[in-house]
């Protein structure tokens, strides 16, 4: 195939295709940063969106974008049809991580804040439904990740206390956990099997872990 270089994506720190492969979501992050939607066949910019996050996410139907680290203490959801931006403000104005994203129905979001909380919000109401925490540590929360299971009934989180934890996605009540012997799982989003019954935790330089969910 023909190799194309998109000059407008020169400073991109993340790249994600749409499901049909016709669009690319990319972002530069940082102060003055922006996310872009690009037509994959031509490189034409279809939309520019100012945000500090460098890991934007599509919603399941690709009608919205999630900005986890939109601003200090703030995450955001952009409705691509109306251009409405909904801001989710975190108590105490903590630093934000770029990870997290939509639930499987596109009705809620998971945000991960540097006060060591995994926060679940209702998009329509803007309300914080609940938050969960790992064991608190002294050196911050970099690389913490979380994801909803394919049936949307559970939440899986990985943090620097060397634990992978499973919670109820309804109210955050704990279900299960296991200890990992390496911090190289941080920043690695869990991957689910096609039937959604198993999850793979990728660990750099160590054997990956498979967990029944």
């Amino acid at each position: 195939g023909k190799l194309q270089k998109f000059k407008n994506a020169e400073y991109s720190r993340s790249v994600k295709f749409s499901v049909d492969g016709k669009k690319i979501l990319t972002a530069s992050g940082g102060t003055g940063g922006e996310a872009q939607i690009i037509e994959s066949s031509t490189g034409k910019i279809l939309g520019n969106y100012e945000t500090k996050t460098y890991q934007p996410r599509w919603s399941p139907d690709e009608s919205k974008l999630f900005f986890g680290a939109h601003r200090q203490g703030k995450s955001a959801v952009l409705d691509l049809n109306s251009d409405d931006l909904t801001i989710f403000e975190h108590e105490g104005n903590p630093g934000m991580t770029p990870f997290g994203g939509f639930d499987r129905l596109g009705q809620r979001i998971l945000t991960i804040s540097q006060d060591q909380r995994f926060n679940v919000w209702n998009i329509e109401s803007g309300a914080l439904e609940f938050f969960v925490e790992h064991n608190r540590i002294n050196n911050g929360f970099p690389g913490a990740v979380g994801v909803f299971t394919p049936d949307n009934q559970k939440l899986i989180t990985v943090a620097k206390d060397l634990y992978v934890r499973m919670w109820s996605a309804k109210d955050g009540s704990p279900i299960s956990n296991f200890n990992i012997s390496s911090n190289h799982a941080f920043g690695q989003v869990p991957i689910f099997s096609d039937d959604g019954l198993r999850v793979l935790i990728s660990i750099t330089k160590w054997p990956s872990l498979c967990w029944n969910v």
Side-chain angles (χ1 to χ4, degrees):
K2 183 180 178 182
L3 179 66
Q4 294 190 69
K5 181 178 180 181
F6 300 150
K7 291 184 178 179
N8 47 293
E10 186 173 355
Y11 301 105
S12 299
R13 297 180 66 185
S14 68
V15 177
K16 297 177 179 66
F17 276 98
S18 58
V19 172
D20 61 11
K22 294 182 179 180
K23 294 178 289 186
I24 298 170
L25 174 61
T26 184
S28 56
T31 302
E34 63 180 5
Q36 294 182 332
I37 296 178
I38 302 170
E39 187 175 56
S40 60
S41 61
T42 65
K44 177 183 177 182
I45 298 175
L46 303 177
N48 285 303
Y49 313 101
E50 184 180 352
T51 181
K52 288 185 175 182
T53 199
Y54 59 86
Q55 288 277 356
R57 310 278 186 185
W58 300 101
S59 63
D61 64 359
E62 298 181 350
S63 67
K64 298 180 179 66
L65 297 180
F66 167 75
F67 302 142
H70 182 61
R71 295 286 187 273
Q72 178 74 25
K74 299 179 176 65
S75 299
V77 170
L78 175 70
D79 188 313
L80 294 172
N81 296 320
S82 65
D83 283 333
D84 289 338
L85 185 71
T86 303
I87 300 293
F88 300 86
E89 297 193 28
H90 297 70
E91 184 180 2
N93 200 36
M96 302 302 301
T97 80
F99 303 108
F102 293 93
D103 74 356
R104 303 295 174 154
L105 300 177
Q107 298 174 350
R108 297 183 296 170
I109 56 169
L110 169 68
T111 67
I112 305 175
S113 45
Q114 293 285 2
D115 57 0
Q116 304 188 35
R117 291 181 175 181
F118 296 85
N119 313 278
V120 174
W121 304 79
N122 183 288
I123 296 174
E124 184 175 1
S125 68
L128 176 65
E129 294 189 351
F130 64 86
F131 66 85
V132 297
E133 297 176 288
H134 282 235
N135 299 318
R136 286 191 166 265
I137 53 177
N138 295 325
N139 55 346
F141 218 43
V145 295
V147 63
F148 290 90
T149 55
D151 63 5
N152 217 40
Q153 299 302 304
K154 303 180 186 75
L155 180 67
I156 293 177
T157 59
V158 185
K160 212 170 184 180
D161 64 346
L162 299 181
Y163 272 90
V164 178
R165 301 182 184 273
M166 185 185 300
W167 319 81
S168 166
K170 180 180 180 180
D171 57 14
S173 56
I175 297 174
S176 183
N177 67 80
F178 68 84
N179 180 250
I180 52 179
S181 56
S182 168
N183 62 8
H184 293 291
F186 309 138
Q188 306 291 327
V189 178
I191 301 171
F192 292 92
S193 60
D194 290 341
D195 61 10
L197 299 179
R198 292 172 300 280
V199 60
L200 187 70
I201 310 295
S202 177
I203 303 178
T204 305
K205 299 180 181 180
W206 286 71
S208 297
L209 301 174
C210 188
W211 195 19
N212 292 328
V213 298

